[in-house]
Amino acid sequence: MVKHTMNFIKQTRNITGLLCFFLFVGVAQADEDLWKSGSNLYIRLTDQDESKKEATPPNQHPVQLNPDQITNALEGIEAWSGGGFFKKKKLKNLFSLQQSRLLGQYISTGLSKARPDQDIVFVLARSEKKYLVIQNTGYTGGRVFYLDGKLHLIIGDYDNEGDRFKETAHKSHGVTDVKQYFKHGRRAKPSGFKGSVVARAGVNPHVDGGKTRQDWVEIDLEQAASVYLAEKAEQTPQETVINEAVQAEAARLARERREMRLELAKMRKEMKSSSGDNSARTIKQRLITLQELRDKELISAEEYQQKREQILGEI
């Protein structure tokens, strides 16, 4: 009896171990990194999150999407952010060019093999100047899936600076890669994103239960990308004209500086060679040269008057 009991316990342990193993494998395979940099930056496939009340509809995955369309559509999205008692709201691109390109490439790759019950989540960073020369790093986290013919983007964190105290504490001990935690956004409720995405052709906020979600955007990729490219094409000639004008002005100033240096060198040489010669002809020639420099605005009025008095004082 004891022997049978021990065998039963051993078999039970083996079965439990196998169940734990398969459960571990299942959890490990649930998240698949599509792109990763350090502990905090990534784009990955994960399980679909749940809606608040009703069952979450399955996504239209897998789906083949053009990476360039995704990049251009995301690059054209603008959002108001910030604001408060002492701060004005700022309008800027939701994603930097680098972020848009990363998302375009890996969203396309990820959704091409994603299951209907999977989403893509990401955390990306960008650095901007703050307080003149100080670089400020902001982290943006979000969730992406394809449904009803549109790319859905839920913003969890936007330009979040992270836990500065935690980073400082760890760096004081020589740890440079500090794990941070950022929100990906959820279907069930708004993330607390304090900004607002600017609605435009192909880009509109999601309406959930009659309420507009500022953190949830629906994107018609083809329309949004084509509108952005058209606007970019219109802006390019103007930018080219401005750049050409700036370059022409810079060349003109450089030419004038060269002429000024030559004139000043010529004047110094003449004055040096005529030192000790106070004849009326020499003084006259020096005054004429001085007047020419002033007429060309190569010397200031004060410099002109000072030098003129010096020459006349030699008579």
Side-chain angles (χ1 to χ4, degrees), residues 60-238:
Q60 292 176 329
H61 305 161
V63 60
Q64 299 294 329
L65 301 176
N66 187 319
D68 293 333
Q69 274 192 349
I70 299 173
T71 297
N72 291 323
L74 295 179
E75 191 177 340
I77 298 178
E78 295 179 315
W80 290 99
S81 63
F85 289 107
F86 303 103
K87 295 181 180 179
K88 292 183 179 180
K89 284 191 173 182
K90 294 181 180 179
L91 179 64
K92 63 179 183 179
N93 292 91
L94 187 64
F95 300 108
S96 67
L97 178 59
Q98 182 183 13
Q99 290 174 329
S100 299
R101 288 176 175 172
L102 276 173
L103 288 171
Q105 178 182 348
Y106 291 103
I107 286 175
S108 174
T109 301
L111 295 186
S112 68
K113 59 182 179 179
R115 302 190 308 267
D117 62 347
Q118 284 184 307
D119 296 334
I120 287 179
V121 294
F122 65 86
V123 174
L124 300 176
R126 65 175 162 188
S127 296
E128 296 178 325
K129 274 190 177 180
K130 189 176 182 181
Y131 308 122
L132 298 179
V133 295
I134 299 175
Q135 288 288 334
N136 181 56
T137 300
Y139 297 86
T140 296
R143 180 180 300 273
V144 178
F145 53 92
Y146 196 79
L147 182 65
D148 298 330
K150 295 180 180 179
L151 187 71
H152 288 243
L153 167 66
I154 303 178
I155 305 166
D157 271 313
Y158 181 60
D159 277 352
N160 186 340
E161 295 182 7
D163 190 337
R164 293 285 188 87
F165 178 79
K166 183 178 180 180
E167 283 189 352
T168 303
H170 281 74
K171 285 179 180 178
S172 65
H173 292 84
V175 180
T176 56
D177 191 11
V178 182
K179 178 63 178 175
Q180 302 267 14
Y181 295 93
F182 301 100
K183 295 181 291 186
H184 299 133
R186 297 170 55 192
R187 291 173 173 82
K189 64 177 182 179
S191 62
F193 171 56
K194 296 180 181 179
S196 58
V197 173
V198 178
R200 53 182 296 166
V203 179
N204 292 288
H206 176 75
V207 179
D208 186 17
K211 296 182 179 180
T212 301
R213 291 270 300 263
Q214 294 297 338
D215 64 327
W216 188 339
V217 187
E218 297 181 11
I219 307 169
D220 183 319
L221 291 176
E222 184 175 358
Q223 186 180 18
S226 60
V227 169
Y228 170 70
L229 289 174
E231 291 177 351
K232 190 175 181 180
E234 290 176 0
Q235 293 172 359
T236 300
Q238 182 180 0

Side-chain angles (χ1 to χ4, degrees), residues 79 169 176 205 279 302:
T176 56
S279 66
E302 291 79 7

